[in-house]
Amino acid sequence: KGSRLNSFAQTLEVPAGKRLKLVLKNEGRGPAEFENLSMHIEKVLAPGVTSFVVLHGLKPGEYRFVDEFRPGGGSLTLVAK
């Protein structure tokens, strides 16, 4: 088994313009990646690791994060309103 990014909510609504801390935990048996290239965010997590990403003042819109290690795997879309 690989990462469990796909066990997260697929869409998450967040407030626009506010600082946001996303806590990430890889509960899988392999490495997982949390990535959005346009935002220059790339976080690789070993199995069992918990980490976080801080986002500052997202403009209204949608921001998609993927696990590039598993292209057909899970993704997360943040919807800033």
Side-chain angles (χ1 to χ4, degrees):
K1 290 186 177 182
S3 69
R4 289 189 50 196
L5 180 59
N6 60 353
S7 69
F8 289 32
Q10 292 181 348
T11 303
L12 183 62
E13 190 173 307
V14 298
K18 302 279 184 177
R19 182 175 179 261
L20 176 69
K21 180 179 179 180
L22 294 178
V23 177
L24 311 169
K25 182 175 182 180
N26 180 1
E27 296 177 335
R29 295 183 188 171
E33 183 178 36
F34 186 76
E35 177 178 48
N36 179 303
L37 290 178
S38 64
M39 296 175 72
H40 305 287
I41 295 172
E42 182 176 17
K43 183 73 85 165
V44 177
L45 293 94
V49 169
T50 299
S51 188
F52 66 91
V53 174
V54 176
L55 305 173
H56 297 276
L58 294 176
K59 294 180 182 178
E62 294 188 0
Y63 303 87
R64 186 166 184 255
F65 294 86
V66 297
D67 181 351
E68 197 171 76
F69 291 164
R70 289 161 191 80
S75 66
L76 169 67
T77 301
L78 293 182
V79 179
K81 292 186 175 183

